[in-house]
Amino acid sequence: MTYALELKDLRKSFGKTEIIRGVNLAVAAGERVAIIGPNGAGKSTLFNLISGRMAPSSGEVHLKGQRIDGLKPYEVNRLGLSRSFQITNIFPKLSVFENLRCGVLWSLGYRYTFLRFLSNLDDANERAEELLVQVGLAKKRNVLAVNLTYAEQRALEIGITIAGGAEVILLDEPTAGMSKTETAHFISLIRQVTVGRTLLTVEHDMGVVFGLADKIAVVVYGEVI
């Protein structure tokens, strides 16, 4: 069986300290899997290994059957995996619409060029408009991202994460710092925008875990127990 995402005996050491100690995990296409565990268990390091921000010391990461460990983050992204971060990662001095349009350009075939006006890219503009509605930010279209509320910035980051059409989505503590009302709304948003996609999320709030996940993997001391 070819999994959407598969980790095989994945390990990561910093000097003599082994942080990830032989993780094995298989996620089927369309599954929602939550990774839980105490602080310092290695959850964020695991995400960094999967998304290419770090190279493993040994072991393998497979995306839709293709080995991706050791690839750079942008290479992993172009193969169909996208992630968000614990700390909001957006373009603060661009508008909400412009942030989303940036996210769709590569997937629509637009490469590095200074010969096109973005306003003339009808397909990119149309897709960005669709994303505005999808993440509930249509009324904030022309607002600079820096002026959004925290929850709205997180929603924008979700929009950027899915903008390129990735089939596998990694969310690192997506509801951290939100109120109960914001969290409930965000769970609904994540479920909506990840329909048909594979989701792997790190989360401490068990209400979020049970609201999102089909399966739960518990990581302790760098191992799935």
Side-chain angles (χ1 to χ4, degrees), residues 51-127:
S51 61
R53 287 177 64 84
M54 293 180 181
S57 300
S58 63
E60 301 178 4
V61 180
H62 292 258
L63 178 66
K64 296 176 289 184
Q66 180 175 347
R67 189 170 175 179
I68 63 169
D69 50 277
L71 296 183
K72 295 178 180 178
Y74 71 87
E75 293 173 323
V76 173
N77 178 263
R78 291 172 188 173
L79 291 173
L81 183 147
S82 187
R83 72 168 289 186
S84 71
F85 294 83
Q86 288 182 9
I87 300 173
T88 306
N89 193 21
I90 56 178
F91 300 107
K93 295 185 179 181
L94 295 182
S95 72
V96 172
F97 174 78
E98 289 167 336
N99 267 268
L100 293 171
R101 185 169 58 184
C102 285
V104 307
L105 290 174
W106 189 274
S107 66
L108 293 175
Y110 297 111
R111 303 299 185 252
Y112 306 109
T113 177
F114 296 97
L115 302 178
R116 293 190 182 100
F117 289 102
L118 291 177
S119 59
N120 295 332
L121 305 181
D122 292 340
D123 51 353
N125 291 322
E126 182 177 339
R127 176 59 180 149

Side-chain angles (χ1 to χ4, degrees), residues 86-210:
Q86 288 182 9
I87 300 173
T88 306
N89 193 21
I90 56 178
F91 300 107
K93 295 185 179 181
L94 295 182
S95 72
V96 172
F97 174 78
E98 289 167 336
N99 267 268
L100 293 171
R101 185 169 58 184
C102 285
V104 307
L105 290 174
W106 189 274
S107 66
L108 293 175
Y110 297 111
R111 303 299 185 252
Y112 306 109
T113 177
F114 296 97
L115 302 178
R116 293 190 182 100
F117 289 102
L118 291 177
S119 59
N120 295 332
L121 305 181
D122 292 340
D123 51 353
N125 291 322
E126 182 177 339
R127 176 59 180 149
E129 296 286 3
E130 292 172 354
L131 287 165
L132 278 170
V133 175
Q134 199 170 359
V135 298
L137 293 175
K139 293 182 179 179
K140 303 285 185 174
R141 183 189 189 281
N142 298 315
V143 175
L144 294 183
V146 70
N147 293 326
L148 297 176
T149 66
Y150 174 72
E152 289 170 341
Q153 288 183 352
R154 296 298 280 175
L156 175 58
E157 186 175 24
I158 293 292
I160 295 170
T161 302
I162 67 171
E167 298 172 21
V168 179
I169 305 295
L170 275 57
L171 302 181
D172 197 351
E173 298 190 33
T175 64
M178 292 188 186
S179 67
K180 288 185 178 180
T181 301
E182 290 169 336
T183 296
H185 170 73
F186 216 63
I187 291 173
S188 177
L189 173 63
I190 292 171
R191 291 187 67 87
Q192 174 188 332
V193 300
T194 57
V195 169
R197 293 183 167 95
T198 303
L199 175 65
L200 190 65
T201 182
V202 167
E203 185 56 68
H204 288 288
D205 186 329
M206 294 307 295
V208 176
V209 170
F210 292 129

